[in-house]
Amino acid sequence: MIAEIICVGDELVLGEVLNTNAQFLSKELLSLGINCKKHTIVKDKINDIKYAINNSIKASSFIILTGGLGPTDDDITMQAIAQAFDVDLVLNNDILSEIENFFKVRNIQMPVSNKKQAFIPDGATILNNPVGTAPGIIWEVKKNTFILVFPGVPYEMTEMWNQSAKDYLKNISSENIIIKNLKHFGIPEAKIGEKIKNIMTKDNPHVAPYVDNGTTRIRIKAHSESIEKSKTLLENTEKEILKRTAEYFYGYDNDTLESVVGQLLKDKNLTLSMAESCTGGLISSKLTDISGSSEYIKLNLITYSNEAKVNMINVKEQTLINHGAVSAETAEEMAKGIKQLSGCDIGLGITGIAGPTGGTPEKPVGLVYIGVCNHESLNVYKVQLNSKLPRFKMKTLACDYALNFLRLFLLSS
Amino acid sequence: MIAEIICVGDELVLGEVLNTNAQFLSKELLSLGINCKKHTIVKDKINDIKYAINNSIKASSFIILTGGLGPTDDDITMQAIAQAFDVDLVLNNDILSEIENFFKVRNIQMPVSNKKQAFIPDGATILNNPVGTAPGIIWEVKKNTFILVFPGVPYEMTEMWNQSAKDYLKNISSENIIIKNLKHFGIPEAKIGEKIKNIMTKDNPHVAPYVDNGTTRIRIKAHSESIEKSKTLLENTEKEILKRTAEYFYGYDNDTLESVVGQLLKDKNLTLSMAESCTGGLISSKLTDISGSSEYIKLNLITYSNEAKVNMINVKEQTLINHGAVSAETAEEMAKGIKQLSGCDIGLGITGIAGPTGGTPEKPVGLVYIGVCNHESLNVYKVQLNSKLPRFKMKTLACDYALNFLRLFLLSS
């Protein structure tokens, strides 16, 4: 079953407010097996809303509207719907009592303009608003075609969705869709695309790669006549993909490199200490985003200056003179030094040129060295990032590389 | 002038990714005097993209597309554009060289599929992608009607916008709109709304407050028959606002608390050292996002465990026993200790309960103490954040409070 979402509001179209409603509704619809086909975001203009409705009704069984239900003159979604289907707006006395009551319990006189919110298209069913005055509606406008209308305020919309609309739709929908994301690091989208080219041609399960910085995510979507069969379909495809991509795979859905590293440290009962230079504390911050990270994080240093590297973690002055602060040798000594200082099981040192200045022909902006050691072995990794990345992205990507190398080190040790 | 935005991508329509591109572009267009009329978000389906383009072209002078420029088979935005206007896609050798070079400098063989990204509609002009392989285009498809195409990855899109598209459009657009944002910290939107209520009623300059975590931003938009007159209008309103809000005001437009603090340290020729606990390195990371921060950042510590606090920066064991790790006394000793250890001019210590666990009735989740000292004075600040905030938000807000207290300390010392 197919849905379209129409969000109404000048504030959305002008970019003053980020549209979180469309994302929420798409996800929720999908969890009910209803596939969203399009989002349309229009201003508070009656003709624009009507045009969007008339367009959507051609292809979709569910038209979900948000916004434009307020009491002021620019709130005209109900009028637009009535005009689009050529019905009247009729006063609903149940809604009127609800609105009157909303103000009564707050000891406020109801503004005259709020009466407007009690008018709904003839034939529609009310969706109660547990947290505001604007009611929503659900309306089977023709056989198997439904219009649902929600307030634009995200909190009111989600409450109304959770408390009434969701169950209503669950009863109508009957599809069994499952989605799973496989997350990979260190492989470009195109290369992963080549590896799974023949898997991507199928319609069900549908497989597509997406990229976000260093992470390449493969989304698998399966549907069938039962949830169990959808699961089997999905799992078979997952196995087939991982056969080809396992060396880059690090986790599923909401997993992050830091959550996976944190879990590995916990599972292996290891503590970690880091000396960061170019990432300036970002790796430490990401790892401590995970609740419970105090089990494995005790002490980290940001040794930004050469003096800090020498005085705090015993990087040799001669190493800095001979090889420079951004070198494999310095990264190695940083890893060893911080491990020694902290008494932790694992030491990580990272040094690089975050830019935009500070690069040379031999050591361009984006050059990063990462050292990782435990009590018996030490690895140093070199990465050359795109020198044109903005500083913040450079730090983020250097951090992700470090976390991924750390993950591989933990897996192999 | 009117624009429409079309965002292409299954991940957007299915709600897997929040659509920040549409908001960014709407805002940017408005700052150039181009009014956005509609956003349409469609899947990676050629007919859906074509339909959206054909619909938009009827009403708008600028059609802005994002997404679907990748190298894989489901990236078909250029094909859809070519079909919509019945032109061929032609191989552009400049783009091909750029893409080949992108892989060459990374020592990776170019995947065959990336060649696809070098085909653009006949007649279009390239927008270089400084940070990825997918080029964008700008194309005057008929007199005074422009198609602009950007990658879907937000930072590639914003870089391309900032580095090439913006200036191009500035030359086409002719309105005299100026926008300025005044950024405030530590005052709720409603309270700032009360202070500037009568200023907000005017149409020109138009004044509106927005809120983003602790920062309350007041946007002033002025227009008139000349840029100079718009400027004067805006400046008069700015003065009127700052008369009422100065104590919370910290900067303009792209200023951040960390950039303002960095500039103050630079101006006063001071160095700063920090010992972070609950923020886990986030303050250090934010301050080192600023290019040139190595002038004032030398050494920071994340003293996550009690042992690290005692061993590294001389927090007294007795202080931890008597008052706990989250206390004014500990924050004070952390600030003094890190200043002593680093030899920097300013010391900052922060300790708190980031949650979601670890709170008690006396010390609930969200309790944060911040100590700041120089060679002659020391301040300790206490903040109680909303205990229900997710951990990441808690850390971010604690970080912003610390930066703001540091800013005020630097201003007054």
Side-chain angles (χ1 to χ4, degrees):
Chain A
M1 284 200 261
I2 304 294
E4 297 198 21
I5 295 170
I6 300 170
C7 300
V8 178
D10 285 10
E11 73 283 9
L12 295 170
V13 181
L14 297 179
E16 289 170 356
V17 170
L18 185 62
N19 187 358
T20 55
N21 284 348
Q23 183 187 28
F24 173 87
L25 287 166
S26 281
K27 272 194 201 172
E28 287 289 316
L29 287 164
L30 198 60
S31 75
L32 300 174
I34 301 168
N35 218 309
C36 196
K37 177 190 163 67
K38 187 165 79 173
H39 303 167
T40 308
I41 294 89
V42 294
K43 288 194 172 182
D44 300 292
K45 288 194 175 161
I46 201 154
N47 285 334
D48 290 4
I49 305 171
K50 271 165 64 183
Y51 185 80
I53 294 171
N54 288 330
N55 246 325
S56 301
I57 206 86
K58 293 175 203 162
S60 298
S61 317
F62 298 92
I63 318 296
I64 322 280
L65 289 110
T66 67
L69 301 188
T72 57
D73 289 345
D74 61 355
D75 292 303
I76 44 164
T77 299
M78 288 296 184
Q79 286 95 310
I81 294 169
Q83 287 187 19
F85 297 104
D86 201 17
V87 301
D88 287 328
L89 288 176
V90 293
L91 178 66
N92 184 300
N93 283 312
D94 291 344
I95 302 177
L96 188 60
S97 311
E98 287 270 346
I99 298 174
E100 284 169 346
N101 195 45
F102 181 92
F103 286 98
K104 208 171 156 190
V105 298
R106 285 166 180 74
N107 268 322
I108 305 170
Q109 211 195 335
M110 185 181 99
V112 180
S113 56
N114 281 86
K115 188 174 176 185
K116 178 184 156 194
Q117 296 180 299
F119 285 83
I120 62 170
D122 204 359
T125 304
I126 309 164
L127 292 171
N128 279 327
N129 186 337
V131 287
T133 60
I137 59 165
I138 189 158
W139 182 22
E140 188 165 11
V141 69
K142 60 184 185 184
K143 185 147 177 65
N144 292 329
T145 302
F146 298 83
I147 305 268
L148 283 89
V149 188
F150 297 92
V153 179
Y155 173 62
E156 296 186 18
M157 185 276 293
T158 53
E159 285 296 302
M160 194 179 280
W161 173 268
N162 289 326
Q163 292 192 25
S164 46
K166 194 171 182 172
D167 281 339
Y168 191 102
L169 289 184
K170 209 180 260 172
N171 292 331
I172 300 171
S173 164
S174 60
E175 301 201 31
N176 299 295
I177 294 181
I178 307 186
I179 290 177
K180 197 172 192 177
N181 291 285
L182 313 182
K183 290 171 135 179
H184 300 73
F185 188 84
I187 178 169
E189 185 187 5
K191 210 160 175 188
I192 222 162
E194 279 173 24
K195 280 182 189 284
I196 59 169
K197 203 174 170 71
N198 68 324
I199 306 179
M200 282 168 62
T201 56
K202 290 176 196 161
D203 253 6
N204 185 33
H206 182 257
V207 171
Y210 300 94
V211 72
D212 181 27
N213 293 327
T215 284
T216 307
R217 178 169 57 86
I218 300 176
R219 184 166 58 88
I220 315 172
K221 187 176 109 188
H223 66 92
S224 72
E225 62 273 23
S226 76
I227 280 286
E228 289 66 34
K229 215 177 153 196
S230 297
K231 260 189 199 159
T232 311
L233 268 174
L234 190 143
E235 279 166 11
N236 290 340
T237 302
E238 179 189 337
K239 273 182 208 154
E240 192 51 47
I241 292 171
L242 288 181
K243 261 187 214 164
R244 309 178 193 186
T245 66
E247 59 184 312
Y248 305 100
F249 170 76
Y250 71 84
Y252 297 100
D253 298 320
N254 295 324
D255 290 341
T256 57
L257 285 165
E258 54 269 26
S259 73
V260 171
V261 163
Q263 196 56 51
L264 276 171
L265 289 167
K266 228 167 150 174
D267 292 347
K268 292 176 173 254
N269 199 22
L270 294 171
T271 54
L272 164 71
S273 190
M274 295 176 289
E276 297 185 58
S277 190
C278 60
T279 44
L282 184 61
I283 310 180
S284 177
S285 182
K286 282 210 179 184
L287 277 167
T288 56
D289 283 347
I290 312 297
S291 178
S293 48
S294 59
E295 278 185 46
Y296 41 86
I297 301 283
K298 308 294 174 187
L299 169 70
N300 297 322
L301 264 63
I302 294 102
T303 49
Y304 224 51
S305 68
N306 279 353
E307 292 70 33
K309 292 180 183 76
V310 172
N311 296 337
M312 298 298 302
I313 48 172
N314 281 325
V315 172
K316 295 189 200 83
E317 278 186 30
Q318 206 54 46
T319 305
L320 295 172
I321 292 164
N322 292 351
H323 305 284
V326 179
S327 64
E329 290 78 4
T330 300
E332 175 179 333
E333 292 184 12
M334 287 171 75
K336 283 184 189 164
I338 186 68
K339 181 178 171 302
Q340 173 77 23
L341 177 71
S342 66
C344 286
D345 302 308
I346 311 279
L348 183 147
I350 180 166
T351 176
I353 304 162
T357 58
T360 64
E362 297 77 37
K363 294 188 177 179
V365 168
L367 178 65
V368 179
Y369 290 95
I370 298 153
V372 185
C373 68
N374 60 14
H375 63 288
E376 57 188 10
S377 65
L378 181 140
N379 286 358
V380 178
Y381 311 88
K382 179 184 173 179
V383 183
Q384 177 61 56
L385 302 172
N386 179 350
S387 63
K388 286 176 192 158
L389 287 177
R391 186 175 169 92
F392 173 74
K393 281 286 161 194
M394 194 78 86
K395 281 177 62 186
T396 304
L397 211 45
C399 171
D400 288 347
Y401 269 97
L403 287 169
N404 194 50
F405 286 130
L406 179 55
R407 180 180 73 82
L408 296 170
F409 185 91
L410 289 169
L411 281 175
S412 71
S413 64
Chain B
M1 285 199 264
I2 303 294
E4 296 197 21
I5 294 170
I6 301 170
C7 301
V8 178
D10 285 12
E11 72 281 13
L12 295 169
V13 181
L14 297 177
E16 291 172 356
V17 170
L18 184 62
N19 187 359
T20 55
N21 283 348
Q23 183 188 27
F24 173 88
L25 287 167
S26 281
K27 271 194 204 173
E28 287 288 318
L29 288 164
L30 196 61
S31 76
L32 300 175
I34 301 168
N35 221 309
C36 195
K37 176 189 163 68
K38 188 166 77 173
H39 303 167
T40 308
I41 294 89
V42 294
K43 289 194 171 181
D44 301 293
K45 288 196 174 156
I46 201 154
N47 286 333
D48 290 4
I49 305 171
K50 269 165 63 181
Y51 185 79
I53 294 171
N54 288 329
N55 246 324
S56 301
I57 206 86
K58 293 175 202 161
S60 299
S61 317
F62 297 93
I63 318 297
I64 321 279
L65 289 111
T66 67
L69 301 188
T72 56
D73 289 343
D74 61 353
D75 293 304
I76 44 163
T77 298
M78 288 296 184
Q79 286 94 311
I81 294 169
Q83 288 186 19
F85 297 104
D86 200 16
V87 300
D88 289 328
L89 288 175
V90 292
L91 177 66
N92 184 301
N93 283 311
D94 291 344
I95 302 178
L96 187 59
S97 310
E98 287 271 346
I99 299 174
E100 283 169 345
N101 196 45
F102 181 92
F103 286 98
K104 207 171 155 192
V105 299
R106 284 165 185 75
N107 269 323
I108 305 171
Q109 211 196 334
M110 184 181 101
V112 180
S113 53
N114 280 88
K115 187 175 176 185
K116 178 184 154 194
Q117 296 180 301
F119 284 83
I120 62 171
D122 205 358
T125 304
I126 310 164
L127 291 171
N128 279 326
N129 186 336
V131 287
T133 59
I137 59 164
I138 190 159
W139 183 23
E140 188 164 10
V141 69
K142 59 183 184 185
K143 184 144 177 66
N144 293 328
T145 302
F146 298 83
I147 306 267
L148 282 89
V149 188
F150 297 91
V153 179
Y155 88 94
E156 294 188 18
M157 184 277 291
T158 52
E159 285 294 302
M160 196 180 279
W161 173 268
N162 289 327
Q163 292 193 24
S164 44
K166 194 171 185 173
D167 281 339
Y168 191 103
L169 290 183
K170 209 179 261 173
N171 291 331
I172 300 171
S173 166
S174 60
E175 302 202 30
N176 298 300
I177 293 181
I178 307 186
I179 291 176
K180 198 172 190 177
N181 290 286
L182 312 182
K183 290 170 137 178
H184 301 73
F185 188 84
I187 178 168
E189 186 186 6
K191 210 161 175 186
I192 222 163
E194 277 173 26
K195 282 183 188 284
I196 59 169
K197 204 176 168 73
N198 68 324
I199 306 179
M200 282 167 62
T201 55
K202 291 177 196 159
D203 252 6
N204 185 30
H206 182 258
V207 172
Y210 300 93
V211 72
D212 180 27
N213 292 325
T215 284
T216 307
R217 178 169 57 85
I218 299 175
R219 184 167 60 90
I220 315 172
K221 187 177 113 188
H223 64 92
S224 71
E225 62 273 23
S226 76
I227 279 287
E228 288 67 34
K229 217 177 151 195
S230 298
K231 261 189 198 157
T232 311
L233 269 173
L234 190 144
E235 279 166 12
N236 290 340
T237 302
E238 179 189 337
K239 273 182 208 153
E240 192 52 45
I241 293 171
L242 288 181
K243 263 188 215 165
R244 309 178 193 185
T245 67
E247 60 183 311
Y248 304 100
F249 170 77
Y250 71 83
Y252 297 100
D253 298 319
N254 295 324
D255 290 342
T256 58
L257 285 165
E258 54 269 26
S259 74
V260 171
V261 163
Q263 194 57 50
L264 276 171
L265 289 166
K266 228 167 150 175
D267 291 348
K268 291 176 174 255
N269 199 22
L270 294 171
T271 55
L272 164 71
S273 189
M274 295 176 290
E276 298 184 57
S277 191
C278 60
T279 42
L282 184 60
I283 311 180
S284 177
S285 182
K286 282 211 178 183
L287 278 167
T288 56
D289 282 347
I290 312 297
S291 177
S293 48
S294 58
E295 278 184 46
Y296 41 86
I297 300 283
K298 307 295 174 187
L299 169 70
N300 297 320
L301 264 63
I302 294 103
T303 49
Y304 223 50
S305 67
N306 280 353
E307 292 69 34
K309 292 181 184 74
V310 171
N311 296 336
M312 298 299 300
I313 48 171
N314 282 324
V315 172
K316 295 189 200 82
E317 279 186 30
Q318 206 52 45
T319 303
L320 296 173
I321 293 164
N322 291 351
H323 305 284
V326 179
S327 64
E329 290 78 5
T330 300
E332 175 179 334
E333 293 185 11
M334 287 171 75
K336 282 184 190 163
I338 186 68
K339 182 178 170 300
Q340 174 77 23
L341 177 71
S342 67
C344 285
D345 303 308
I346 312 279
L348 183 148
I350 180 166
T351 177
I353 304 162
T357 59
T360 64
E362 296 77 38
K363 294 188 178 179
V365 168
L367 177 65
V368 180
Y369 290 95
I370 299 153
V372 185
C373 67
N374 59 15
H375 63 289
E376 57 188 10
S377 65
L378 181 140
N379 286 357
V380 179
Y381 312 88
K382 179 183 173 180
V383 182
Q384 177 62 56
L385 303 172
N386 178 352
S387 64
K388 286 175 190 157
L389 287 177
R391 187 175 169 92
F392 175 73
K393 282 279 165 198
M394 195 78 86
K395 281 177 63 183
T396 304
L397 211 45
C399 170
D400 287 347
Y401 269 97
L403 287 169
N404 194 50
F405 286 131
L406 179 56
R407 180 181 73 83
L408 296 171
F409 184 90
L410 289 170
L411 281 176
S412 70
S413 62

